[in-house]
Amino acid sequence: MCTGARTPEELETLLEDAFVLHDHQALAQLFHPGAMLVAGGGLAEARGRRQVARVAARLWDSQRLYLADPRRVLQVRDTALVLAGCAINVVRRTDDGSWRYVISLHDLKKQGAGP
C-alpha cells in the first residue's frame, strides 16, 4: 500500500502539512534519499533527507511558511515538474507508487508577509 503522495499535487499539500506541523520526520520522507532542497534566504542547499530536515528546522525558526500552490504540473511517466507560487520542484514516482521530491527550489515567505 502506498503511504505517500498519490499525485504530484498531493505531494505539495503534504509538504504544506509538514511545514504547518513542524514535523521533521514527515517532511524528510517526502524527499528521495539523495534529494536536493534549495530554500534561499542565505541557507546552504541541503542534500539528502537528514540535511533537508535540518534546513526545514531553520526555516521554521525564522518563521518561514510554505503554502501549497501548484499552478502547473508537467508530467512524463514517473517524473513531473511542479511549478508553484513560490517553488519549482522536480518530483519522481517511487517503486511503491508514491511521489517524492528530487529537486526542490523555494522562495519562502515569512509568516504574515505579503505576496
Side-chain angles (χ1 to χ4, degrees), residues 57-109:
R58 292 189 62 200
L59 292 168
W60 296 325
D61 289 345
S62 65
Q63 301 295 309
R64 298 293 174 175
L65 179 65
Y66 185 78
L67 297 176
D69 186 19
R71 296 180 180 186
R72 187 155 187 205
V73 177
L74 305 170
Q75 182 179 339
V76 176
R77 297 190 179 141
D78 293 337
T79 304
L81 176 65
V82 180
L83 304 173
C86 65
I88 299 170
N89 298 303
V90 176
V91 300
R92 290 202 39 102
R93 188 177 6 231
T94 63
D95 292 339
D96 71 0
S98 64
W99 288 87
R100 304 256 188 268
Y101 292 102
V102 177
I103 301 171
S104 190
L105 173 63
H106 294 260
D107 180 18
L108 301 179
K109 305 292 182 207

Side-chain angles (χ1 to χ4, degrees), residues 33-49:
M36 178 182 8
L37 169 65
V38 179
L43 295 173
E45 66 184 42
R47 292 182 182 265
R49 289 178 173 164

Side-chain angles (χ1 to χ4, degrees), residues 7 24 29-30 35 51 54 60 72 78 94 99 113:
T7 66
H24 297 86
Q29 291 303 310
L30 299 175
Q51 286 184 9
R54 278 192 218 128
W60 296 325
R72 187 155 187 205
D78 293 337
T94 63
W99 288 87

